[in-house]
Amino acid sequence: MTTTPRASYGGGVVALLVACTLWGTTGMAASFIPGISPIAIGASTMGIGGLILGLTALSGVWVVSKSIGTLPLVLLGSLGLVAYSTVFYIGMSWSGVALGNVIALGSAPLFAGLIEWLVDKQRPSWRWLVATAITVAGGVMLVAGRSFGADDHKIVGDATRIDRDPMIIGWGIVLALVAGLSYALYTFMANKLMKPHADRPQGLGHRPVISTIQLVSAAPLGVLLVIVILLNPHAFTQQTLAIPVMLYLALFPTAVGHLLLAVGLGAMPASRAAVYTLFEPVVAVVLAVLVVGEVIAPIGWAGLVVVLVGLAVLTQEKRSP
């Protein structure tokens, strides 16, 4: 059995940062099709992207599927990916873009660390805890420095403006936490499949693993997309940029981005990889300023620096004896 060569830790960090750069463009790209439901965008891009990943790596998918003991891990990873792709957008629309982003992205590394502790008995190091706390705090500052009023309006809409209802906000926070847990489950199961095992001493390559999980998750996401289209077909026919934008999101942030995520997961535990993905809001803020013309408050720029400091602390953990 052949496996994809594992990247070095430094190579994994670079892959994750490039992936975050691609993911950071999703908000800007989605702003060009404001009439399309964010749930439809998530289902279509992850579904199409997952299909592309699976069909371009069928031999690797076959290797993963026939390996002993991989089916439960693949199904759990796919469940996490499907849940994240749908729950994240609902939670963000109910709790607000800023709050939903912070809770979902910030809780993912904490959930990943907890899963590793409970399943693999790997206690998080103090340096990881400090780096995670710094990076999450920087993410909160980063988001606090942005004006999300227009984005909230786009996602929720005039007829269902719900951001003032405390109960709906509360449920949105719960769903954002579920999104963070789902993402942590997805990355943990992918990382688990890549590690050496008694039945597969060399482990499984990062591309076959991520392609298999993405291909399995593409089916339910495709069904969800069909339902959304049937409920509101005019939203797609009236948006001339809908297909080009969603194809971009499927090809680059999803297909390429998750392949790069797989490289990172092949080089480090899921809990550490999840912290590096908090670089995504840094990219989103820079693009919001340079492309959209958004004005960021000083606390936002300070948060950007704090995020970079937290990631630097995390990198030092690997370098220290």
Side-chain angles (χ1 to χ4, degrees):
M1 180 180 66
T2 60
T3 58
T4 308
R6 292 183 179 275
S8 64
Y9 184 84
V13 172
V14 172
L16 287 171
L17 295 182
V18 175
C20 289
T21 301
L22 293 173
W23 295 336
T25 67
T26 56
M28 180 186 65
S31 67
F32 291 104
I33 49 174
I36 304 297
S37 165
I39 299 176
I41 295 175
S44 62
T45 56
M46 295 300 292
I48 297 171
L51 191 62
I52 293 172
L53 280 172
L55 294 179
T56 55
L58 285 177
S59 59
V61 172
W62 172 250
V63 170
V64 173
S65 62
K66 73 175 184 179
S67 299
I68 299 174
T70 58
L71 181 59
L73 301 180
V74 169
L75 291 178
L76 285 172
S78 301
L79 175 64
L81 183 58
V82 171
Y84 172 78
S85 303
T86 52
V87 173
F88 173 74
Y89 291 102
I90 301 173
M92 190 166 57
S93 67
W94 288 5
S95 63
V97 176
L99 187 59
N101 266 281
V102 168
I103 293 175
L105 294 176
S107 64
L110 301 178
F111 280 126
L114 181 61
I115 292 174
E116 287 179 1
W117 191 357
L118 294 176
V119 178
D120 289 342
K121 309 303 180 185
Q122 295 181 358
R123 289 187 62 180
S125 67
W126 280 108
R127 188 182 291 271
W128 179 87
L129 290 171
V130 170
T132 302
I134 293 174
T135 308
V136 171
V140 173
M141 296 167 61
L142 194 63
V143 174
R146 300 186 64 183
S147 174
F148 282 91
D151 290 338
D152 283 340
H153 183 73
K154 288 178 183 177
I155 289 178
V156 179
D158 291 328
T160 55
R161 186 76 177 173
I162 52 177
D163 57 337
R164 295 181 181 178
D165 189 331
M167 182 174 294
I168 296 297
I169 293 176
W171 281 111
I173 292 173
V174 171
L175 291 180
L177 288 171
V178 173
L181 175 61
S182 301
Y183 185 81
L185 179 66
Y186 160 54
T187 55
F188 176 79
M189 292 303 163
N191 183 259
K192 194 82 169 172
L193 286 164
M194 297 174 194
K195 290 180 179 179
H197 186 269
D199 297 318
R200 41 186 188 278
Q202 293 182 329
L204 295 169
H206 58 263
R207 181 173 182 182
V209 166
I210 215 73
S211 297
T212 303
I213 294 176
Q214 289 273 351
L215 184 60
V216 173
S217 65
L221 288 172
V223 173
L224 176 62
L225 176 62
V226 171
I227 294 174
V228 173
I229 292 176
L230 291 176
L231 290 175
N232 189 14
H234 299 294
F236 291 85
T237 57
Q238 294 174 356
Q239 292 281 331
T240 57
L241 291 178
I243 293 179
V245 169
M246 287 193 287
L247 282 177
Y248 164 78
L249 292 173
L251 286 172
F252 293 98
T254 302
V256 178
H258 282 262
L259 275 180
L260 292 170
L261 171 65
V263 174
L265 289 173
M268 67 188 74
S271 59
R272 193 173 292 130
V275 179
Y276 281 112
T277 59
L278 289 171
F279 182 69
E280 176 187 351
V282 173
V283 177
V285 163
V286 173
L287 289 177
V289 173
L290 296 180
V291 179
V292 184
E294 187 174 307
V295 178
I296 307 298
I299 188 174
W301 292 113
L304 187 150
V305 175
V306 172
V307 169
L308 297 179
V309 170
L311 297 182
V313 172
L314 185 65
T315 304
Q316 290 300 316
E317 179 186 34
K318 183 65 180 180
R319 295 178 179 176
S320 61

